[in-house]
Amino acid sequence: MSIDKQDVQKIAHLARLALTEADAEQYQHSLSSVLSLVEQMQSVDTDGIEPLSNPLEMTQRLREDLVTEDNRRDDFLANAPQTEAGLFLVPKVID
Amino acid sequence: MLDQSITALAAQLRNKDISSIELTRYFLERIAKLDPQLNSYITVSEELALKQAAKADQLIQQGNTNALTGIPIAHKDLFCTQGTLTTCGSKMLHNFVPPYESTVTSRLQQAGSVMLGKTNMDEFAMGSSNENSHYGPVKNPWNLDKVPGGSSGGSAAAVAAGLAVAATGTDTGGSIRQPASFCGITGLKPTYGRVSRFGMIAYASSLDQGGPMAKSAEDCAQLMQAMAGFDDKDSTSSETANDNYLSNLNTPLTGLKIGLPKEYFGDGLDSDVANVIMNAVKEFEALGAEVKDISLPNLNLSIPSYYVIAPSEASSNLSRYDGVRFGHRCEEPKDLLDMYMRSRAEGFGQEVQKRIMVGTYALSEGYYDAYYLKAQKIRRLIKQDFTNALQEVDVIMGPVAPTTAFDLGSKTNDPVAMYLEDIYTLSVNLAGIPAMSVPAGFVQNMPVGLQIMGDYFAEAKLLNVAHQFQQNTDWHLQTPTMAKGA
């Protein structure tokens, strides 16, 4: 299976990755070879087989809806690239 | 001190033949001398290690100890360690100092162990050779021109070269077992859910599993004793009761039924590696085990299924790296979308970007059923293969990898060739069963690991089987020449 450069740019946009033309060309080749590898699956008959998402087939545990952690805002803001007044700063979203 | 087990070192510490500070300094000096050749550590936490060692010495003075008190170990740089840089081998997290501690490192710390530092790894645990780290490749201590295996290659190289007594690793598709095999150490990937994933930086959440890497099965059992067990902070943690991993080690192997899957010995397996594995199996027969030929017919489907499921989960897990709350942010973004796209393109390496894109593609509209759902159905077939086989035999044995460690750079331009290296390990993660790599011999002076797989929560049995083998062989006691020079 092969994909073209336009497909690569579309996937990259969905994945929020900025690719240069040269990057897109390189990934076109490597993505095509991985997608060809996974194509082998299509020859297997899986009708009537239930998909398996968790190997132990566990269901999610629930807990009481209670606050269990302390508010450590300053600790969590310490790793942020830009903060102000206890908030994360990002480029302007609304004009 | 290089060839001493955790049990032996613990006895020396308890008898005050040596202090934890002395032991810790010994390893810090070895790291300073040998690691410039190996690059097995990203961060050496000398100050913290000496502080923890001093605390361990106090506990020893008070007679308040267990087997890990004062033992210097290393952690894969994927376990969040509060106050210590945790990069996951990525430029994206080059400045990330976690505000919390992973359950695994926290439990090992509570057991009194000393953290020497954080070990190098393939970026976000994606790789089979440790060539995908932002901090440069790790070298194999048995031959510096060869890879140590990935993604826990830093942990494996550090233990093999005597730069830590033991280490933690994680295994999503073979990342504990394959580097353990390539570096000649013992590594255990526990059952999915046996060891908490809280505070482990996620790659593929339904496959990731932390585990011990050490010189011997007995040392792995010592680490498991501290790190395994239910954790209410991890919603996928199993509530199945823990075994005692040490008390079972001396059970004789008489009557043990070993299954040899024919698919593990077919085309692609190096004939010298096959000979080493068959000699190891003969050793087990001499110990009273019985061998039976079995089949895991869907083995070949594990590669395509894994390379859909793992990238799909990765594309979701890695969406959190957006330059807002932590990690790398690009310079002067012109708007929010530009910030997301450039921060991620600059912060992630090529292998990570490629897997994110494969996952995005597999999960995108119109492709979900043909890729992701199909892969999940094949995953059930693979699990069923193991379940069927393990009704007939106690353990399954085979090689960990088709070859010994390959040359640095030899497979970097052919991703599919690199992915095929994982053929014997991936299916174990898809099924979620436990498996080990145990040193079983050498081919042209490079170590070969025997893989031992077992039923869900059979870690104690695997450790017993491996320990009995190690009581009768000395492959696990071999030391690379470069490690003897310090």
Side-chain angles (χ1 to χ4, degrees), chain A residues 1 3 8 11-19 23 26-27 29-31 33-35 37-61 69 72 75-77 79-82 88-93, chain B residues 82 95-97 99 192 206 230-231 234-237 239 301 303-305 307-308 323-327 329 333 335-337 339-341 344-345 350 353-354 356-358 360-361 370-371 373-381 383 416 419 430-432 456:
Chain A
M1 167 160 192
I3 51 173
V8 175
I11 300 165
H13 183 78
L14 290 171
R16 297 295 183 258
L17 291 165
L19 298 192
D23 291 338
Q26 200 192 338
Y27 285 123
H29 173 71
S30 55
L31 289 179
S33 57
V34 177
L35 292 174
L37 177 77
V38 304
E39 276 299 299
Q40 290 171 36
M41 293 193 310
Q42 305 310 332
S43 62
V44 186
D45 179 7
T46 51
D47 280 356
I49 311 268
E50 277 293 301
L52 177 70
S53 56
N54 177 314
L56 299 180
E57 304 195 54
M58 293 166 63
T59 49
Q60 193 90 343
R61 268 194 317 276
E69 298 290 329
R72 295 168 55 205
D75 291 344
F76 287 98
L77 285 169
N79 274 294
Q82 258 187 299
F88 296 110
L89 273 193
V90 297
K92 192 161 69 173
V93 178
Chain B
Q82 189 167 4
N95 54 4
F96 179 61
V97 179
Y192 179 78
S206 79
F230 175 70
D231 177 18
D234 172 1
S235 64
T236 55
S237 172
E239 294 180 61
L301 294 172
I303 293 181
S305 166
Y307 280 104
V308 169
V324 175
R325 288 149 296 146
F326 49 80
R329 180 186 285 196
D335 56 29
L336 195 62
L337 185 64
M339 186 186 83
Y340 291 158
M341 295 191 59
R344 288 165 62 77
Q350 280 187 8
Q353 294 195 37
K354 187 172 74 192
I356 289 173
M357 285 193 277
V358 170
T360 303
Y361 182 79
Y371 287 96
L373 204 62
K374 185 90 182 174
Q376 300 276 45
K377 289 180 176 185
I378 289 173
R379 184 174 191 179
R380 184 173 296 280
L381 295 177
K383 173 180 168 146
V416 170
Y419 292 176
L430 290 164
Y456 295 94

Side-chain angles (χ1 to χ4, degrees), chain B residues 385-434:
Chain B
D385 279 357
F386 279 111
T387 310
N388 293 343
L390 288 162
Q391 280 172 357
E392 294 180 51
V393 295
D394 298 306
V395 292
I396 298 170
M397 289 188 187
V400 173
T403 61
T404 55
F406 42 91
D407 288 345
L408 282 153
S410 63
K411 292 185 196 242
T412 40
N413 292 323
D414 187 350
V416 170
M418 186 80 93
Y419 292 176
L420 295 176
E421 277 288 319
D422 299 336
I423 176 96
Y424 303 134
T425 50
L426 296 177
S427 52
V428 161
N429 299 75
L430 290 164
I433 58 169

Side-chain angles (χ1 to χ4, degrees), chain B residues 7 28 40 60 65 123 155 207 356 394:
Chain B
T7 314
L28 289 170
S40 68
I60 292 164
T65 63
E123 183 180 4
S155 290
L207 303 161
I356 289 173
D394 298 306

